[in-house]
Amino acid sequence: MIPEGIQGGSARSVAVLGAGSWGTTFAKILADAATAAGVPRTIRLWGRRSEVVEEINTFHRNSQYLKDIALPDSITAYTEVRQVFDGADLVVLAVPAQSLRPQLRGWKDMIVPGAMVVSLMKGLELGTDARMSEVISEELGVPTERIAVVSGPNLAMEIAREEPTASVVACTDSAAAGWIARSCTAPYFRPYTTADVVGVEIGGIVKNVIALAVGICEGRQMGDNTKASVITRGLAETSRLALALGGDAKTMAGLAGLGDLVATCSSPLSRNHTAGRLLGQGLTLEEVGQKMTQTAEGIKSGQAVHELAAKLGVEMPITAAVVAVLAGKLSVDQLGPVLLARELKPEGDY
């Protein structure tokens, strides 16, 4: 059963799992959306680290991830996860993709029956090649119409600064997608809806790998022609994989496809772009990890994307090259020539 009032209402009690930059920012969106709509809403945010939780509750800041951004008073943070789930009709998941399955197993009995579950995560599970919505369905045993995905050009810091942003809510049930969209419509955040969960998730997953490639090119001081070429052909790769899985080509031309790809590949705020740039400058994977405070999902998910493409017979040369770099089988100096090594063919022949 979907939460009551889904036809015209919005979430009244929200649990956000993950107090990193995007989880905290989305909690802010939900709080600001409720204020703008004049509806009461309780927002509880779970964080692993007590110092982050204490700072949110005491100073209404999460300085490690969002610097000096002021957070609404309606957001309360906890280290005890059971308190966060209490009565929540909307559960938002913003944890690292590779840790989702074991965490869900511990949380399953805490989720209110009938609650909507939203994934903010953009990764494939290593070993199973499962999308996050599939992991949620498998571990929680909830129907697909109660699982949604939010994706798009979602650079957390820009949204936290309330710079205008559009995004996409994907759910197989249009009423549920609308309910979630109403719940997160803030003056600076405009969600669209779609039923193409597969396309939206694949767009969010593969763009991280392409952003690594663009970052490496930038780290090697390659020019805008090179980066534009990688972005454009990266969109072709993303489209091939999404279509092979049943996604919609129109999604790839929209916010969750092209929009997210451009933002992630172009912005210094992008974790994957930053990780790629550092690799291009000669740092090792270990050194990149030490310099970055947050997970670059493309590093973790690249191998899973490569394996999934191979299973489906989908050609993804940029992804294959990035995975080879990450595995130490290809140097960053060799990346550029490899990206141009495909046989000649018409551009439209994906």
Side-chain angles (χ1 to χ4, degrees), residues 37-260:
V39 298
R41 179 172 294 157
T42 300
I43 301 168
R44 300 184 181 93
L45 178 64
W46 172 76
R48 291 183 299 105
R49 297 168 52 195
S50 58
E51 63 270 24
V52 171
V53 168
E54 183 177 354
E55 184 184 25
I56 292 171
N57 291 334
T58 305
F59 301 105
H60 306 292
R61 298 283 191 280
N62 187 343
S63 59
Q64 178 175 347
Y65 297 108
L66 296 180
K67 298 183 179 178
D68 59 350
I69 298 295
L71 301 175
D73 294 350
S74 56
I75 298 174
T76 306
Y78 300 84
T79 54
E80 173 49 57
V81 71
R82 188 173 294 276
Q83 293 176 285
V84 174
F85 281 115
D86 187 26
D89 55 356
L90 176 61
V91 174
V92 179
L93 299 171
V95 299
Q98 305 310 322
S99 69
L100 178 63
R101 191 180 295 275
Q103 287 180 307
L104 287 179
R105 289 174 180 169
W107 296 341
K108 180 177 181 179
D109 295 336
M110 304 179 195
I111 299 176
V112 174
M116 287 293 305
V117 181
V118 171
S119 168
L120 301 184
M121 300 161 292
K122 299 179 178 181
L124 277 183
E125 185 179 48
L126 290 169
T128 68
D129 303 333
R131 292 175 285 111
M132 295 298 98
S133 66
E134 294 177 312
V135 175
I136 293 167
S137 178
E138 291 168 9
E139 290 301 325
L140 298 184
V142 299
T144 57
E145 61 266 23
R146 275 177 43 206
I147 301 170
V149 175
V150 173
S151 192
N154 299 146
L155 296 167
M157 181 56 75
E158 290 189 1
I159 299 173
R161 292 196 296 247
E162 302 186 9
E163 297 177 13
T165 303
S167 195
V168 179
V169 176
C171 184
T172 57
D173 184 282
S174 60
W179 183 81
I180 294 166
R182 288 191 296 274
S183 298
C184 63
T185 298
Y188 53 89
F189 190 81
R190 202 289 191 192
Y192 290 81
T193 60
T194 180
D196 185 17
V197 175
V198 172
V200 168
E201 281 193 289
I202 292 301
I205 293 164
V206 181
K207 59 96 183 184
N208 286 332
V209 183
I210 306 304
L212 285 171
V214 173
I216 291 171
C217 291
E218 186 170 303
R220 301 308 299 162
Q221 297 186 326
M222 297 178 189
D224 291 335
N225 285 339
T226 305
K227 290 183 283 186
S229 299
V230 174
I231 291 171
T232 306
R233 296 311 302 170
L235 180 61
E237 288 194 14
T238 308
S239 300
R240 285 197 293 271
L241 184 59
L243 292 174
L245 291 166
D248 190 335
K250 291 185 293 185
T251 301
M252 296 300 99
L255 290 163
L258 178 61
D260 199 8

